[in-house]
Amino acid sequence: MKFHLLAGASLASLAAVTAALPAHAYEGSALAASVAVAGEVVHGRVTNAAGDALPGAEVVVRATGQRAVTNTQGEFDLVLPTGTAVLDVRYIGQPSASQTVNVVQGGTEVAIALGAAEAATVSDVIVTGVITDGVARSLNQQKNADGTINVLSADAIGRYPDPNVAESLQRVQGIAIQRDQGEGRYINVRGAPSSFTAISVDGVAVPAVSPSTRAVDLDTLPSDIVSTVEVSKTLRPSQDADSIAGAVDIKTRSPFDKRRLALSGYAGGSYNDYGGEDYRGGLTASNVFGPNQTFGALVSLSYSETNRRPDNVENGWVLINRNPAQGGGQIWGLENTLFKDYETERTRKAVTGALEWRPSEATRVWLKGSYAQFRDDEFRNTLNFTYSDGTLQPGSTDTSATFNNARIYKQLRHRTQENDISTVQLGGQRTFGNGAVWDAVLSFADSEQTYPHRDELVYRSDPVPTMFYNTADHYQPTYSVFTDPTGFYLNSNNYKFRENTFRSNSTEQDDVAFKTDLELPTVIGGREVELKFGAKYSTREVTADEERFRDRTAAANPGALAPLLSDRPSQNYDYNLGFKFDAGLVTDYFDRVRAGSTNPDSAAGVRRIPQSITADYTAKEDILAGYAQARFDLGATDVLVGLRVEKTDFEGSATSVALSGAQTPVTVDRDQTDFFPNLTLRHSFSDQLIGRFALTRAISRPDYTDVVPRVLETTDSGRTTVTRGNPDLKPTLSNNVDLGLEYYLRPLGVISANAFYKDLSNYRFTLVTDNVPYVTPTSTVAQVTEARNARDGHIAGVEFNWQQTFDFLPSWASGFGVFANYTLTDAEIKTSRAFAGRDTFALPGQSDETYNAALFYERYGFSARISYTHRGDFLEAIDATNPGKDLYVEGRGQLDFTTSYDFGNGVEVFGEAKNLTDSAGVRYYGVKERTYEYEKFGYNVFVGVRFKL
C-alpha cells in the first residue's frame, strides 16, 4: 500500500510540475528550457588559473540554456550544432567566464580557465587558500547535483585531525559516529542505524568485515587515500537501493586529476596523553605519458601507527531479588565490575593504484584498485570484582551493596584483530557522436576479518569475606577492595588458576559485480531529454568460522600467579590494580597450550562443542537490478524521474547440534523482488537560491547472522544464553520524502535547510527474552536473543548548515570564516505486540541532536581552524523485557584544533590537537546513574610536514 502511495505521489507531482511550466524556452534566461538540437559532441575541461581541475562547475549554453556540470576531473560533454556557441561558466569562489566555441564535425575540444589574469577586474573574489579551495570544490558539486548530496574534498579532510574516514564524516551535517577506544568506527546518517548506510570505493560496493552486521568499519580506511567523499542523502535510480539513510562513495585519486608528473606526501608524529607516540605518513605519485599523454598511472601509499592506553571501567547491572531478611523487593545491583588496563597498538596500511588509458576524449579504459588493512594488537590486564559469586547482605540499596564470599578475578587477554578491505575494478566508457555514453564495469571486492588471537588466562581468588561498593557518584564510585587494610586483592597467593580460553574467528565476504549503463540524449515532445538505462548483477558469498576452546583442568595450570607477574604497576584512573602480567611469559604459555590442546583433532578435549560448530555460517546473496530514468529541464526546474527494480536471491546455511551430538545442516532459501520509484526535482529560483524535492524508496536487507538458521547456545554456571537467526525476517523498506532550500553566498558560502521523513516498514530490532523454555544438559530455560520485525516506524528531522567566509571584513580580518551545522531528528518504531508494557521504541543509533561548529582563519600562507563536534545521547541496544536494561551511549562533545603554514614553495608544516576537552566515552543502562562503561582517551598532539610538487 505504501509503495502504491509513493508511486502515485511521484506521478502526481511530476504531472503538476509539467502542467505548471510551459514547454517553450524562457527568452533571454540562462536557465531556459532546452530546445531540440542535433549536432556534434563538445568535450570540455574547466580549470583554475593554475591548471587545477574544477569539479562541479556549471556550464550553460547561452543561446539555448543547455546545461552541463563538470565531473571530478573538471570535464563536461555537450551536444551542439555545428557553428559558433557561447558557453557561460559559473563556479562559486571563482569569477564567472564566457568562452566562444567553434563547433565542427567530428567533435570539438575546449579548455576553459577561470580566474585568469584578464579576469582580474571581475568583482568576484578569487579563492586561493587551501581551506577555502576545498570548501569551493565541495559547494559547487553540492549546488549543481541532481539530488541532495554532501561532498568532502581531500583538502577539506586534511584540515581536520581525522585519521580515518569515519572521523572525517562526523563533520558533515546529519552524520554522527560511533567510537571504539576513542576512534570513530561506524557512522549514523540522519539518525539511522549504521547498517542503513551503504559504503563504496570508486563506486564498488564494500562488504562489511564483521560477521554480525552489514555496517562497514570505516576506521579501516585512512582518510589520506581519499580524493573526495560523496554522501548521497537522496538516491538516484542509477544507484543501488540498499541505503535507506544515505550512500557514501569514497573516491580515490586519478592520474588525470593533474595531467602531469605530480608528487605529494606528508609525515609526522604525535604525543598521546593516554599512551605512547603515533606516526603517520603518506605518499602519492602520478603522471601521464605516452603518445599525446594518453596513458596515466597513479599510486598512493598510507601508513599509520597509533598507541593507546585508555582507562576503562565496566559494570554489569542486574535486578536482584532480596529475600525478607535482606529487606525484600528488588534492587538494581552490580553483578561484576571490570577494571581494564589496555595497551594497544593500532596500525593502518593502505595502497591505491590506477592505470588509465584515454586514446581520445571519447574513449576511456581504466583499472583501479585499493587495499586497506587495520590491525589492532591489544593486551588487556583486568581486575574483575564478581559480586554474583557471593551473597547479598541486608541493607543493600540501588546505589550501595555488601556481598559476602564474592570473588576477584585477575586476567590477561591478548587479542589481535585484522581487517582487510580490497577493491578492484576494470571499466570502460565510450562517448558516441550523437552524445550517447555507454560504460561498463566489472568489479571485485573482498573484506576479511580475522582474530588470530583471542587468548585469555584467568586466575580467581579465594572467597572474599566482605566486598562493598557505593555508586552514588556514578562517575567516581568507591570500592571497599581498594581500601581493605589487609590488601587482600594485592596478595598473589590468594589467587588460583581458573581457566584459559582461546577463540579464533575468520570472516570473509567476496562480492563480484558487473554493471553497465547507457546514457542517451533524445527529444520527446519537442523537449531535450537525457534517458539513462542500466543493469547490474552482483553475487556475494559470506563465510564465517569460529573456534572456541576452554580448559580448566590441572594439566592446563601454569602454576602460581606470582611468577607470571611483572614489576610494572597496573593503574586505572586512581585505582591501583596491582602489577601487570608479564606479557612475554603469558604469551609463551599461550603458544605452548595452543600448539596442543587447541587443535580440533587433539585428544585434550578442550574444544567447546557445540559452539565451535553452531557459531559458523555461510551465506550467498545474488542481486539482479535494472533501472530506467529520464532527466530533463522544465524552465528553471531540473527533473529526474525513474524506476529501479531489484531481485534478491538469498541462501544461508548453518549446522545444528542435538543433545546427542548429531549434526544436521540447516538451510534457508528466499527470494524477493522490490520496486523503487524515484522523483527528484531541483529548482533554481535564482543563480544563488536552489530548492530541492525528492520522493524515493530504499531498502535495508537483514544482517546475515540475523537471518541464517543458526542457533548459538552457551551455558556457563548453569545459565544458558541463546542467539538464533530468524529465517522469516524481512528486509526493512523505507519511503522517503526530502525537501531542501539552499542559498549560496558570494564569494563563498551557503545557508541551507533540509527536511526529511522516512516511513519505515518491517524495521528490524533485536529482542532479548528471559526464561524461554530451552532444554540443555544443565538447564531447561534460557535467555534468547533474536531479530524481529516491527510493523512500522519513522525517522524525521531537519538539517541546518551555514558556511561563510568573512571577506567583507577589512584587510587581514577578511581571512576569517565559519562552518556550522545542526541536525535535529526524531525516530521511533512500533512493534506488533507489547514487550514489558512497551510497543514503541527509539531507534538504536539515533541522537536527537548533533552539531558542528568551526571558526577558521586563512591568510598570508597561515591557516588555523578550531572545531567542536557534538552528538546527543543515543540508544545502543534494546532490552525488550526490561526497560531499565536498555543500553545508551551518553552524548559527547570534542574540541579539536589544526594549524599550518605554507612556505610557498610546496612545503607546509602543520600541527593538530585532538580532544582538547578530554571528553570521556560513557555508556549506561536506563538512567545515567547505572553506568555501564566509563572510558577516557586523553588528548593527542600531532606535528608534521606536507609537500607537494
Side-chain angles (χ1 to χ4, degrees):
M1 181 63 181
K2 292 178 180 178
F3 166 77
H4 295 300
L5 290 174
L6 178 68
S10 299
L11 293 175
S13 299
L14 176 61
V17 171
T18 305
L21 295 171
H24 66 274
Y26 290 99
E27 186 175 351
S29 170
L31 295 168
S34 301
V35 297
V37 295
E40 304 294 328
V41 177
V42 175
H43 300 284
R45 187 166 187 258
V46 179
T47 65
N48 61 18
D52 297 325
L54 296 179
E58 185 178 38
V59 183
V60 178
V61 181
R62 182 177 296 178
T64 65
Q66 202 173 343
R67 178 176 174 270
V69 177
T70 59
N71 63 15
T72 53
Q73 274 88 51
E75 301 161 334
F76 67 92
D77 287 339
L78 287 166
V79 179
L80 301 176
T82 56
T84 300
V86 179
L87 304 182
D88 294 320
V89 184
R90 292 188 287 266
Y91 184 89
I92 303 171
Q94 292 285 341
S96 299
S98 299
Q99 187 154 326
T100 301
V101 179
N102 186 26
V103 183
V104 299
Q105 289 186 352
T108 303
E109 296 183 13
V110 59
I112 304 173
L114 302 185
E118 58 270 20
T121 59
V122 179
S123 59
D124 294 287
V125 176
I126 299 175
V127 170
T128 56
V130 176
I131 293 178
T132 50
D133 182 63
V135 175
R137 292 172 181 273
S138 299
L139 291 185
N140 280 281
Q141 293 176 77
Q142 292 169 195
K143 176 188 176 186
N144 294 311
D146 290 323
T148 301
I149 70 169
N150 296 117
V151 178
L152 282 174
S153 70
D155 289 333
I157 291 172
R159 264 46 197 181
Y160 286 110
D162 301 329
N164 66 55
V165 171
E167 299 213 2
S168 297
L169 285 168
Q170 71 177 318
R171 315 291 177 177
V172 176
Q173 62 263 32
I175 298 183
I177 62 174
Q178 295 172 245
R179 298 178 182 271
D180 178 71
Q181 294 190 3
E183 289 191 285
R185 171 162 292 175
Y186 298 119
I187 61 172
N188 301 113
V189 180
R190 289 183 160 181
S194 54
S195 59
F196 276 21
T197 299
I199 308 295
S200 60
V201 175
D202 291 320
V204 178
V206 175
V209 295
S210 169
S212 60
T213 179
R214 289 182 184 256
V216 176
D217 290 37
L218 288 175
D219 57 354
T220 302
L221 302 174
S223 57
D224 54 6
I225 68 170
V226 172
S227 173
T228 60
V229 180
E230 181 179 301
V231 183
S232 299
K233 293 180 176 176
T234 58
L235 299 180
R236 302 181 300 276
S238 57
Q239 293 178 281
D240 293 342
D242 61 340
S243 199
I244 288 176
V248 175
D249 188 25
I250 301 163
K251 300 180 185 294
T252 60
R253 298 176 178 90
S254 164
F256 286 90
D257 290 342
K258 299 292 186 182
R259 303 195 180 203
R260 58 175 174 81
L261 175 61
L263 188 67
S264 63
Y266 80 101
S270 73
Y271 167 78
N272 296 313
D273 183 29
Y274 285 46
E277 295 79 19
D278 293 354
Y279 307 96
R280 297 204 312 262
L283 180 67
T284 300
S286 67
N287 200 4
V288 290
F289 52 91
N292 301 317
Q293 297 184 328
T294 56
F295 290 93
L298 177 142
V299 63
S300 182
L301 306 172
S302 172
Y303 176 83
S304 71
E305 179 182 313
T306 302
N307 295 277
R308 290 285 187 272
R309 294 181 176 88
D311 283 348
N312 181 289
V313 176
E314 289 187 10
N315 296 303
W317 290 87
V318 293
L319 273 176
I320 303 175
N321 293 311
R322 298 188 299 187
N323 59 43
Q326 297 168 340
Q330 288 184 320
I331 64 167
W332 283 103
L334 296 180
E335 61 177 347
N336 62 358
T337 297
L338 288 79
F339 302 87
K340 299 179 178 180
D341 183 1
Y342 287 97
E343 293 184 287
T344 68
E345 180 184 272
R346 291 183 171 183
T347 58
R348 290 184 187 85
K349 303 174 185 177
V351 58
T352 67
L355 294 173
E356 299 187 38
W357 179 46
R358 298 188 179 186
S360 69
E361 291 295 334
T363 302
R364 303 176 184 182
V365 180
W366 63 85
L367 176 64
K368 284 188 172 185
S370 69
Y371 170 76
Q373 182 191 76
F374 169 87
R375 190 175 192 271
D376 185 2
D377 193 11
E378 171 188 289
F379 284 91
R380 188 186 75 188
N381 282 265
T382 303
L383 193 67
N384 181 353
F385 302 162
T386 306
Y387 307 104
S388 59
D389 284 355
T391 304
L392 182 71
Q393 298 302 296
S396 298
T397 69
D398 286 337
T399 58
S400 64
T402 301
F403 292 82
N404 284 347
N405 299 320
R407 293 182 185 270
I408 303 173
Y409 293 75
K410 195 170 178 64
Q411 307 160 224
L412 179 71
R413 185 184 74 168
H414 181 205
R415 189 200 70 165
T416 304
Q417 173 188 348
E418 291 184 0
N419 296 342
D420 297 89
I421 296 176
S422 307
T423 65
V424 179
Q425 63 168 295
L426 175 65
Q429 184 183 82
R430 172 69 178 174
T431 302
F432 298 95
N434 62 351
V437 180
W438 172 79
D439 63 68
V441 177
L442 176 65
S443 64
F444 170 79
D446 174 81
S447 292
E448 296 182 47
Q449 183 177 80
T450 58
Y451 285 89
H453 294 286
R454 294 181 78 173
D455 313 334
E456 191 161 28
L457 175 63
V458 182
Y459 278 76
R460 186 176 70 174
S461 75
D462 293 326
V464 182
T466 303
M467 292 178 66
F468 168 82
Y469 66 79
N470 188 312
T471 62
D473 184 346
H474 54 281
Y475 291 147
Q476 291 184 316
T478 57
Y479 305 92
S480 64
V481 170
F482 295 121
T483 58
D484 181 359
T486 67
F488 180 92
Y489 81 104
L490 295 174
N491 187 345
S492 59
N493 294 324
N494 290 329
Y495 297 86
K496 296 181 176 60
F497 169 74
R498 173 59 175 168
E499 66 183 20
N500 64 50
T501 62
F502 300 89
R503 290 175 63 183
S504 62
N505 304 66
S506 64
T507 306
E508 183 171 5
Q509 301 192 32
D510 294 329
D511 190 286
V512 181
F514 176 78
K515 68 184 293 287
T516 183
D517 304 275
L518 177 63
E519 193 174 292
L520 183 65
T522 187
V523 176
I524 300 176
R527 187 180 303 280
E528 191 171 273
V529 179
E530 179 187 276
L531 298 177
K532 192 172 183 179
F533 309 92
K536 179 179 180 180
Y537 174 75
S538 64
T539 178
R540 179 174 298 180
E541 295 186 357
V542 184
T543 302
D545 178 74
E546 180 176 336
E547 293 293 334
R548 298 187 182 188
F549 302 88
R550 183 176 68 188
D551 198 347
R552 294 177 173 175
T553 64
N557 189 348
L561 173 62
L564 293 175
L565 298 180
S566 70
D567 58 358
R568 300 169 59 213
S570 182
Q571 188 79 19
N572 198 310
Y573 299 105
D574 294 327
Y575 303 119
N576 173 20
L577 308 183
F579 290 105
K580 296 177 187 282
F581 279 90
D582 186 311
L585 293 177
V586 177
T587 298
D588 290 341
Y589 164 77
F590 285 151
D591 291 341
R592 290 195 305 271
V593 175
R594 287 172 63 93
S597 62
T598 61
N599 184 338
D601 299 323
S602 168
V606 297
R607 185 182 184 219
R608 299 196 71 178
I609 301 294
Q611 294 85 1
S612 295
I613 298 171
T614 56
D616 306 341
Y617 74 87
T618 61
K620 187 173 186 293
E621 186 175 71
D622 297 336
I623 301 175
L624 178 62
Y627 74 91
Q629 69 180 45
R631 185 188 180 282
F632 53 93
D633 298 338
L634 295 174
T637 304
D638 304 321
V639 180
L640 178 68
V641 63
L643 176 68
R644 184 178 185 89
V645 182
E646 293 189 353
K647 183 179 185 298
T648 306
D649 293 311
F650 177 84
E651 179 181 317
S653 62
T655 301
S656 68
V657 179
L659 291 178
S660 64
Q663 300 181 18
T664 305
V666 185
T667 302
V668 59
D669 292 284
R670 47 193 285 178
D671 62 82
Q672 180 173 332
T673 301
D674 297 285
F675 298 84
F676 305 95
N678 185 297
L679 173 67
T680 302
L681 306 177
R682 175 188 181 275
H683 182 74
S684 298
F685 294 98
S686 69
D687 183 41
Q688 293 175 264
L689 184 61
I690 307 297
R692 301 184 188 278
F693 175 76
L695 292 173
T696 60
R697 183 175 170 87
I699 191 172
S700 174
R701 297 177 176 90
D703 295 330
Y704 303 115
T705 49
D706 288 342
V707 72
V708 294
R710 73 169 193 157
V711 180
L712 177 61
E713 165 261 311
T714 303
T715 301
D716 279 307
S717 302
R719 181 183 181 186
T720 300
T721 60
V722 176
T723 302
R724 65 189 182 196
N726 179 2
D728 296 324
L729 197 65
K730 299 177 182 178
T732 302
L733 290 165
S734 177
N735 296 321
N736 313 307
V737 181
D738 289 82
L739 184 66
L741 197 62
E742 305 161 1
Y743 185 76
Y744 290 86
L745 305 169
R746 290 193 177 98
L748 186 63
V750 66
I751 298 175
S752 65
N754 291 274
F756 56 90
Y757 184 86
K758 301 179 183 296
D759 184 37
L760 305 174
S761 300
N762 295 318
Y763 178 84
R764 299 186 305 279
F765 69 100
T766 300
L767 181 68
V768 180
T769 309
D770 286 318
N771 299 317
V772 176
Y774 192 90
V775 178
T776 71
T778 59
S779 175
T780 57
V781 296
Q783 181 189 79
V784 176
T785 301
E786 67 177 340
R788 300 278 187 92
N789 287 118
R791 67 176 188 267
D792 57 26
H794 75 265
I795 307 174
V798 60
E799 301 170 348
F800 300 98
N801 183 37
W802 173 36
Q803 300 182 32
Q804 187 174 6
T805 55
F806 296 157
D807 61 289
F808 52 83
L809 295 177
S811 186
W812 63 270
S814 62
F816 282 105
V818 66
F819 301 94
N821 58 68
Y822 176 83
T823 302
L824 182 67
T825 60
D826 174 75
E828 66 178 25
I829 57 172
K830 290 185 179 295
T831 55
S832 56
R833 69 180 183 88
F835 298 99
R838 301 182 296 171
D839 65 355
T840 302
F841 300 87
L843 251 65
Q846 178 257 326
S847 295
D848 287 344
E849 64 174 16
T850 60
Y851 59 83
N852 290 277
L855 179 68
F856 72 87
Y857 182 81
E858 186 168 58
R859 192 83 170 178
Y860 313 117
F862 172 78
S863 68
R865 170 156 44 192
I866 187 165
S867 56
Y868 184 80
T869 181
H870 173 83
R871 74 173 301 182
D873 293 17
F874 65 90
L875 178 66
E876 185 171 80
I878 297 172
D879 190 311
T881 58
N882 190 336
K885 285 294 294 291
D886 288 348
L887 182 60
Y888 289 87
V889 178
E890 187 175 272
R892 181 178 182 274
Q894 180 169 302
L895 183 68
D896 304 322
F897 176 75
T898 58
T899 186
S900 66
Y901 182 77
D902 190 339
F903 291 95
N905 58 357
V907 177
E908 179 184 20
V909 294
F910 68 96
E912 303 172 350
K914 189 173 182 179
N915 193 25
L916 291 173
T917 48
D918 192 18
S919 301
V922 182
R923 294 191 287 173
Y924 60 90
Y925 284 117
V927 294
K928 293 185 178 181
E929 287 71 24
R930 287 196 293 274
T931 303
Y932 166 61
E933 179 180 39
Y934 188 80
E935 185 174 42
K936 298 197 78 172
F937 331 104
Y939 64 85
N940 173 273
V941 178
F942 189 93
V943 177
V945 60
R946 298 186 185 99
F947 69 91
K948 188 178 296 185
L949 304 175

